[in-house]
Amino acid sequence: MERIVLAYSGGLDTSVAVKWLADRYDAEIVAATIDLGQGKELDDVRERALAVGAVRAHVVDAREEFAQEYILPALQAGAIYEGRYPLATALGRPLIAKKLVEIAAMEDAGMIAHGCTGKGNDQVRMDVSARALNPDLKVVAPARVWGMTRPEEIAYAREHGIPVPASVDSPYSTDSNLWGKSIECGVLEDPWQEPPEDIYTLTKSPAGAPDAPAYVEVEFERGIPTRVNGVTMPLTELINSLETIAGAHGVGRIDMVENRLVGIKSREIYEAPAATVLHVAHRELEALVIPRDLERLKAGLSRTYADLVYDGLWFSPTRDAIDAFVANVQQHVTGTVRLKLSKGDCRVVGRRSPASLYDTALATYDEGDKFDHEAAEGFIEIWGLPVANAASKRRQAAGAGAPEPAGPSAT
Ligand code: ARG
């Protein structure tokens, strides 16, 4: 008998998928739920999987691995898709795929399955990651195959005695983990419509946030955030506590139209309070400790990194290579950034570092200035040489060919 390991969320799609896969492939279905910090959704997920017909149900706590090996490298790389999306969902998919592949090996299964549809990025990330880890495994995405609409799925569930989860009442499709939440569908599909307030669960409305700002000091050691307001915390806890503080001040709401890999433009809402604070802080600290040319070089790689995460190429030689570059840069990224959170705004108001390249004696306009002002003249002479040269050659050429153009003062 065939055995299939299914990524099980507990929602309608994957609940229906248990029965559908078992029938279609005459297979045993092993459910696997990966905890990436999605919270409440996981309550009694094991019981639900077994209730809908899974022969076994694994629940894997992968929060620590997610934080250390996925979130942290992406933070250090400055990976933000199209300048706005910190990639919570996109970073979670390769880890889910990795766990499915591991469980498939344990369970001696030849196939893995997931609930992604045929229109999104997530299917690409799951399938490509699985192929990168074990090209011999077959991957099936029932929702890409069965062609059922939502009401048809509900009818299918009723017909087969599958308990319909309460989440079917929500018009939205959401995905949550430690790094943030993604929200799609319903009225959000109209890019002109303002998102209704009730879609937000991690962030307060900026207008309703406290009048008094919060100051947060984030400390990094070699690129790793280790302390918030002087308190040392493991990374998962640090992310959770920043989520609480920043969320309470309305920080981290993102409303954008993005380019999916599959060619569709889509309107997306994200809540990423912790990711917003950490990216702002980390970028600011790098600005203090790395030289200009390296900053420019890294900025280009940040974009490449964000694209490859988004595009499902997490397990790739390109990412490995950029990670090595980024790790080298992080050696100097030690210090503290002070941020002010107020009514949806997250602003850096202070930064300091033992590795700071900032030199007051060079920067000051006051007493103690060590900058050589006279040397600037020689520098400018040579720096401006190419443009001065080009201008004078053009003028000569214009003068030699045509008659002098009549200027305003010509008589
Ligand atoms: N557009 C985002 C991405 O591609 C979010 C996807 C959200 N997925 C979901 N099943 N709701 O990363």
Side-chain angles (χ1 to χ4, degrees):
M1 199 183 207
E2 183 80 70
R3 187 174 292 156
I4 305 174
V5 178
L6 167 69
Y8 183 74
S9 71
L12 178 66
D13 291 341
T14 53
S15 295
V16 165
V18 173
K19 171 74 181 151
W20 187 89
L21 285 166
D23 286 354
R24 168 132 174 166
Y25 293 96
D26 188 24
E28 296 189 327
I29 310 305
V30 174
T33 304
I34 318 306
D35 183 358
L36 300 181
Q38 57 270 55
K40 277 204 292 298
E41 286 175 29
L42 289 175
D43 292 349
D44 53 71
V45 72
R46 187 194 308 271
E47 288 67 25
R48 276 185 282 157
L50 298 172
V52 299
V55 294
R56 271 181 298 290
H58 299 258
V59 179
V60 181
D61 181 356
R63 286 174 294 177
E64 187 62 26
E65 186 175 353
F66 186 44
Q68 296 297 338
E69 287 169 40
Y70 294 73
I71 291 174
L72 187 59
L75 169 66
Q76 294 178 337
I80 301 184
Y81 185 64
E82 295 187 338
R84 323 224 5 230
Y85 167 38
L87 296 162
T89 297
L91 285 165
R93 299 308 177 192
L95 179 51
I96 295 171
K98 178 170 175 240
K99 294 296 168 196
L100 292 183
V101 170
E102 287 170 7
I103 294 169
M106 253 163 56
E107 288 278 2
D108 205 17
M111 263 172 114
I112 60 175
H114 57 74
C116 303
T117 70
K119 294 182 74 162
N121 301 308
D122 289 331
Q123 53 169 346
V124 180
R125 298 166 184 153
M126 295 291 292
D127 292 19
V128 171
S129 297
R131 283 178 69 187
L133 297 169
N134 181 355
D136 298 329
L137 274 177
K138 271 196 275 178
V139 185
V140 57
R144 209 159 48 188
V145 180
W146 64 35
M148 285 190 273
T149 63
R150 201 119 175 114
E152 283 164 359
E153 277 183 57
I154 295 171
Y156 180 98
R158 297 241 154 86
E159 195 182 312
H160 293 93
I162 299 165
V164 175
S167 59
V168 292
D169 292 335
S170 165
Y172 307 111
S173 162
T174 64
D175 179 65
S176 296
N177 63 42
L178 207 48
W179 205 221
K181 179 176 172 187
S182 308
I183 313 155
E184 303 170 319
C185 302
V187 292
L188 304 175
E189 287 182 353
D190 178 353
W192 180 250
Q193 278 280 328
E194 182 173 351
E197 191 54 37
D198 66 3
I199 64 167
Y200 296 108
T201 55
L202 305 179
T203 54
K204 257 240 158 79
S205 155
D211 289 330
Y215 286 90
V216 176
E217 288 185 14
V218 183
E219 241 172 290
F220 291 84
E221 271 169 42
R222 294 173 179 262
I224 302 169
T226 52
R227 264 185 281 279
V228 171
N229 290 339
V231 182
T232 305
M233 280 181 249
L235 188 54
T236 53
E237 232 176 83
L238 183 140
I239 291 170
N240 282 328
S241 75
L242 283 177
E243 179 174 293
T244 305
I245 309 172
H249 286 271
V251 168
R253 290 187 176 185
I254 298 153
D255 176 344
M256 68 188 285
V257 171
E258 78 187 25
N259 293 294
R260 286 194 190 166
L261 177 61
V262 294
I264 301 169
K265 282 197 188 286
S266 72
R267 201 279 188 90
E268 303 281 334
I269 306 295
Y270 299 107
E271 287 185 284
T276 300
V277 170
L278 284 170
H279 271 294
V280 167
H282 183 265
R283 193 190 313 119
E284 186 68 16
L285 189 53
E286 282 194 341
L288 190 66
V289 303
I290 66 178
R292 181 173 114 137
D293 56 346
L294 182 50
E295 235 184 290
R296 301 289 191 277
L297 179 62
K298 204 198 146 196
L301 290 173
S302 294
R303 183 174 160 168
T304 304
Y305 201 95
D307 283 351
L308 74 81
V309 170
Y310 190 87
D311 294 351
L313 300 174
W314 180 261
F315 296 110
S316 63
T318 308
R319 182 184 61 89
D320 291 344
I322 303 178
D323 274 347
F325 168 88
V326 170
N328 178 289
V329 175
Q330 297 315 297
Q331 291 170 36
H332 308 285
V333 186
T334 295
T336 306
V337 177
R338 188 159 192 258
L339 304 117
K340 184 176 181 175
L341 312 177
S342 178
K343 304 244 177 226
D345 190 40
C346 170
R347 198 175 286 274
V348 173
V349 292
R351 65 293 270 161
R352 66 173 178 225
S353 165
S356 175
L357 301 180
Y358 184 92
D359 188 335
T360 308
L362 290 177
T364 186
Y365 284 93
D366 293 337
E367 231 164 286
D369 180 6
K370 296 241 169 64
F371 187 80
D372 184 347
H373 293 240
E374 272 171 46
E377 265 181 57
F379 166 74
I380 293 164
E381 186 61 32
I382 293 179
W383 174 250
L385 183 62
V387 289
N389 178 50
S392 79
K393 290 289 187 291
R394 294 256 156 78
R395 238 190 244 176
Q396 273 168 27
E404 198 76 24
S409 60
T411 45

